Amino acid sequence: TAWGLPGRTKSAEDLYQESREQMRCAFAVGKGRHQLCRVVRSVRIRLLADIFGVEHSLVCRLEISRSGKAVERRDLPTRRLQWKDTVRLYDMADKTLLAENSPYTEDWVRGCRRAMRRLGLSFEVQEAHLEEDLSSFQVEADQPSSGYPGLMTNHLTHEVVFRVAEPEHPAMKCIGLPSGQEFATTEGIASGQSSADVLTTMTFWAWERNCSMSASTTSGR
């Protein structure tokens, strides 16, 4: 099998954790019920701020895993939506599975809020200091997975644009404003039953001068 190659592909254990423990993907049967596919729903945040009169976007610059592996990136803040039931085998013929507002995962609006809370912005700060601009919904159906070779994946992504109303406000200091400094966050993901089985990832964020930046993808999809 091509799965589980160090530094190249993910293992069956990774897929089990992603689905059953983290609830971040589900499985469905495709056409003719002969093909098993993976379904992933995500929210992607384009957070904008004026820094010295120039519009900037927040991007992930670097991720360092607990093992010490460092991966350079250029990604917008992204969070996988959690599924309500990952034991169930879904049917691709079910139109609500790939619908913009699906009943099978957590609400995508709440997913946005939780993604920004990861940056250090509480729900209260988001309500008071962020302005929602635009939103879009994108479907990438039946795409080969680079992380799990041979497993077709359906990626459904809500991209939402938020603007920082007052970059100079003290509440924005935690995300490097108003000067646009880099900052870091940590996130722990359970990989077992004990507190020792928590994989911690450190992420470094940077404010990038706005241009025609295309939507980035998540490595090892």
Side-chain angles (χ1 to χ4, degrees):
T1 177
W3 289 23
L5 300 178
R8 295 177 57 188
T9 61
K10 297 181 180 181
S11 66
E13 181 181 357
D14 292 327
L15 187 60
Y16 179 86
Q17 291 178 356
E18 178 184 321
S19 173
R20 296 298 177 86
E21 296 180 4
Q22 301 168 12
M23 308 287 282
R24 293 187 175 185
C25 77
F27 299 99
V29 287
K31 298 177 181 179
R33 295 184 172 270
H34 297 302
Q35 182 184 45
L36 182 71
C37 61
R38 171 169 159 257
V39 184
V40 176
R41 301 184 70 99
S42 306
V43 289
R44 185 164 53 220
I45 310 296
R46 190 178 291 268
L47 186 58
L48 306 177
D50 287 336
I51 300 175
F52 302 121
V54 179
E55 187 177 76
H56 287 66
S57 294
L58 184 67
V59 296
C60 165
R61 183 183 65 80
L62 179 71
E63 277 190 353
I64 301 178
S65 66
R66 184 180 181 181
S67 65
K69 180 182 178 181
V71 179
E72 293 187 1
R73 299 191 182 281
R74 187 173 173 262
D75 296 343
L76 297 173
T78 302
R79 180 181 179 276
R80 295 263 191 95
L81 297 180
Q82 287 192 317
W83 290 76
K84 298 175 182 178
D85 182 358
T86 58
V87 176
R88 172 181 174 180
L89 184 61
Y90 295 87
D91 191 335
M92 290 300 295
D94 181 352
K95 294 183 179 180
T96 62
L97 184 63
L98 304 186
E100 183 172 358
N101 296 296
S102 175
Y104 302 127
T105 62
E106 65 177 311
D107 178 68
W108 67 269
V109 175
R110 178 170 176 78
C112 283
R113 299 299 181 182
R114 293 179 69 180
M116 288 188 289
R117 190 173 64 177
R118 175 192 171 197
L119 300 173
L121 300 173
S122 68
F123 293 145
E124 294 76 17
V125 168
Q126 293 176 40
E127 289 291 336
H129 301 288
L130 300 184
E131 300 173 347
E132 184 175 344
D133 195 344
L134 300 171
S135 63
S136 61
F137 180 65
Q138 178 182 358
V139 177
E140 298 175 74
D142 296 327
Q143 298 294 311
S145 170
S146 57
Y148 304 106
L151 179 61
M152 301 302 287
T153 300
N154 293 271
H155 291 278
L156 302 101
T157 307
H158 296 267
E159 181 169 316
V160 187
V161 180
F162 289 92
R163 184 176 295 277
V164 178
E166 298 179 71
E168 298 80 13
H169 195 281
M172 297 296 104
K173 187 175 181 180
C174 67
I175 56 172
L177 295 175
S179 59
Q181 293 181 328
E182 289 194 5
F183 64 97
T185 59
T186 58
E187 182 179 30
I189 298 177
S191 63
Q193 297 181 350
S194 71
S195 59
D197 296 326
V198 176
L199 304 180
T200 302
T201 298
M202 177 172 285
T203 305
F204 292 85
W205 303 91
W207 288 96
E208 183 177 277
R209 190 171 186 152
N210 241 3
C211 56
S212 56
M213 179 179 174
S214 60
S216 53
T217 57
T218 302
S219 151
R221 296 163 56 143

